[in-house]
């Protein structure tokens, strides 16, 4: 082919000197929130396409934001007028959509979970590794929460010495229909898995899930609450009270206990007691409220990274894989009642 007739393909590494044109796949509760964020708030981004299996919903959301409705998500990924993809479809669809986005060479922000099993998550790690550079960021928004960043900095500074314990509380007011006992681990504790790895800077090597007495407020058959104990490579212990039908509000709290001191996040101001919806300050209703600013920051930093050609600025596919592996072990522990070890194997390309 002569040089004159050759077409050069834009690669994500080249970045963009204009707004990044984004398609949001899946416009349920979270996808609509992200579509609004991209359309109204995130600088340097232009929402151009929305896509959902529910055609009527796709059309309604497209009309709301004045963008194109593309009913087939694969067509949306391959659309030449789309530069980057946000995946907010149900978790079981992620593997196929992420692999297609990687094949199309398009920067992608995929809501958690990356995929629904360690094996499929590892396939994504390998597919991205074959491309030779990062393309996929995973939507663990807590990494963009100011308090989580501060606690991480405290740990990294070493001023408190070696971390010994991370005590975590994760409470939701209620669960959506069809929320299963496994989902307390896969959908909720997955955030503590990633937050612990982020805060402590090391891998989780074992997990045990205990079944305390069930709250009468939980839908029938749901093991709620659960108590999760994770062990890290350095010997620190991370415990999580996960309680998703408290009926009160949304609470995410972590206390680090290190050799020479402690540090706590998620308390609001000077709070020691909770009753009803009062806990010193306001108890937030849900994660969209509690982590709204973190989602805003996550999206702004992702779009900035896509425009600059860095592509990813946050948790990547290895983090998604690690979370999937720990959670799969957690589900096994929930079923069997025994401690399950986690071995991530070797990361393609080396260091984590
Ligand atoms: C939900 O899917 C989330 O991701 C929230 O952050 C979490 O708090 C909730 O428990 C999950 O169901």
């Amino acid at each position: 082919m002569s040089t004159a007739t050759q077409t050069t393909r834009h690669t994500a590494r080249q970045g963009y000197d204009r707004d990044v044109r984004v398609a949001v796949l899946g416009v349920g509760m979270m996808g609509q929130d992200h579509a609004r964020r991209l359309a109204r708030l995130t600088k340097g981004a232009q929402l151009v396409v929305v896509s959902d299996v529910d055609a009527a919903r796709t059309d309604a959301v497209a009309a709301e934001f004045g963008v194109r409705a593309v009913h087939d998500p694969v067509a949306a990924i391959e659309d030449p007028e789309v530069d980057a993809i946000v995946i907010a479809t149900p978790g079981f669809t992620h593997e196929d959509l992420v692999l297609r986005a990687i094949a199309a060479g398009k920067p992608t922000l995929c809501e958690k979970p990356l995929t629904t099993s360690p094996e499929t998550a590892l396939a994504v790690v390998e597919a991205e590794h074959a491309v030779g550079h990062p393309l996929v960021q995973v939507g663990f928004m807590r990494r963009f929460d100011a308090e989580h960043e501060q606690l991480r900095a405290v740990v990294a500074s070493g001023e408190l010495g070696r971390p010994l314990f991370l005590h975590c509380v994760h409470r939701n007011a209620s669960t959506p229909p069809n929320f299963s006992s496994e989902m307390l681990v896969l959908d909720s504790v997955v955030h503590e898995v990633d937050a612990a790895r982020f805060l402590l800077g090391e891998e989780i090597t074992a997990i045990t899930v205990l079944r305390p007495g069930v709250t009468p407020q939980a839908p029938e058959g749901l093991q709620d609450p659960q108590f999760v104990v994770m062990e890290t490579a350095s010997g620190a212990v991370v415990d999580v009270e996960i309680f998703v039908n408290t009926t009160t509000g949304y609470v995410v709290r972590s206390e680090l206990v290190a050799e020479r001191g402690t540090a706590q996040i998620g308390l609001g101001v000077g709070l020691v007691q909770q009753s009803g919806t009062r806990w010193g300050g306001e108890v937030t209703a849900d994660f969209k409220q509690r982590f709204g600013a973190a989602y805003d920051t996550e999206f702004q930093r992702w779009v900035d990274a896509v425009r600059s050609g860095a592509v990813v600025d946050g948790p990547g596919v290895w983090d998604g894989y690690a979370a999937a592996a720990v959670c799969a072990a957690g589900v096994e522990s929930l079923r069997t009642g025994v401690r399950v070890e986690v071995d991530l194997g070797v990361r393609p390309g080396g260091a984590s």
Side-chain angles (χ1 to χ4, degrees):
M1 206 188 275
S2 77
T3 329
T5 55
Q6 265 176 7
T7 51
T8 51
R9 192 162 169 246
H10 183 94
T11 71
R13 292 296 254 193
Q14 290 170 273
Y16 297 89
D17 56 8
R18 54 164 172 77
D19 283 357
V20 177
R21 300 166 302 180
V22 184
V24 174
L25 313 186
V27 283
M29 186 253 291
M30 212 61 235
Q32 279 184 41
D33 201 46
H34 292 331
R36 180 199 51 77
R37 185 166 280 113
L38 286 161
R40 311 242 156 95
L41 196 71
T42 313
K43 295 187 181 63
Q46 199 191 341
L47 179 70
V48 291
V49 163
V50 291
S51 178
D52 196 286
V53 283
D54 182 334
R57 182 158 68 185
T58 312
D59 294 343
V61 176
E64 180 186 346
F65 295 111
V67 301
R68 273 189 299 135
V70 176
H71 294 137
D72 174 6
V74 177
I77 290 171
E78 289 167 0
D79 191 311
E81 310 271 293
V82 166
D83 304 314
I85 315 292
V86 170
I87 298 177
T89 51
F92 71 89
T93 65
H94 290 188
E95 178 194 359
D96 180 48
L97 296 176
V98 174
L99 288 174
R100 287 179 190 270
I102 291 174
K106 299 210 175 161
T108 298
L109 177 51
C110 179
E111 263 300 339
K112 58 89 195 168
L114 175 58
T115 70
T116 51
S117 74
E119 294 76 19
T120 51
L122 196 54
V124 171
V125 170
E126 280 157 4
E128 189 194 69
H129 182 64
V131 172
H133 60 80
L135 274 173
V136 181
Q137 184 163 325
V138 182
F140 288 124
M141 78 297 191
R142 290 194 193 175
R143 294 188 182 220
F144 302 89
D145 172 57
E147 284 188 316
H148 280 76
E149 287 186 328
Q150 282 161 10
L151 185 55
R152 183 182 199 229
V154 168
V155 173
S157 75
E159 64 181 279
L160 299 183
R162 193 170 58 92
L164 303 173
F165 299 106
L166 187 66
H167 302 301
C168 306
V169 167
H170 184 164
R171 298 183 191 136
N172 292 196
S174 60
T175 42
N178 306 322
F179 206 84
S180 66
S181 299
E182 287 77 17
M183 285 173 77
L184 270 77
V185 175
L186 296 169
D187 202 55
S188 302
V189 176
V190 66
H191 284 292
E192 272 74 22
V193 172
D194 186 66
R197 294 179 65 250
F198 174 68
L199 294 170
L200 303 178
E202 56 176 331
E203 296 298 354
I204 289 159
T205 53
I207 180 167
T208 310
V209 180
L210 305 178
R211 297 166 162 261
V214 166
T215 173
Q217 290 134 208
E220 188 157 356
L222 191 71
Q223 174 60 54
D224 180 26
Q226 297 174 20
F227 193 79
V228 179
V229 180
M230 295 183 272
E231 298 157 55
T232 74
S234 75
V237 172
V238 179
D239 60 80
V240 187
E241 172 214 302
I242 179 70
F243 183 11
V244 292
N245 284 279
T246 63
T247 73
T248 55
Y250 191 67
V251 176
V252 166
R253 205 162 72 203
S254 300
E255 182 183 19
L256 170 81
V257 179
E259 289 166 327
R260 290 188 295 279
T262 68
Q264 207 163 350
I265 59 172
L267 278 178
V269 277
L271 313 169
V272 282
Q273 193 176 337
Q274 177 183 5
S275 60
T277 57
R278 301 303 305 172
W279 187 44
E282 205 67 41
V283 176
T284 51
D286 60 20
F287 51 89
K288 285 199 296 178
Q289 201 182 337
R290 165 65 179 84
F291 288 111
Y295 283 120
D296 294 346
T297 306
E298 175 184 44
F299 270 65
Q300 189 60 65
R301 278 177 45 186
W302 176 63
V303 166
D304 291 347
V306 172
R307 291 192 71 211
S308 74
V311 187
V312 165
D313 177 10
V317 290
W318 182 257
D319 302 297
Y321 160 66
V326 174
C327 288
V331 167
E332 188 184 332
S333 177
L334 174 69
R335 287 191 187 128
T336 59
V338 301
R339 172 180 177 274
V340 178
E341 294 193 352
V342 182
D343 179 5
L344 294 182
V346 179
R347 180 177 181 162
S352 51

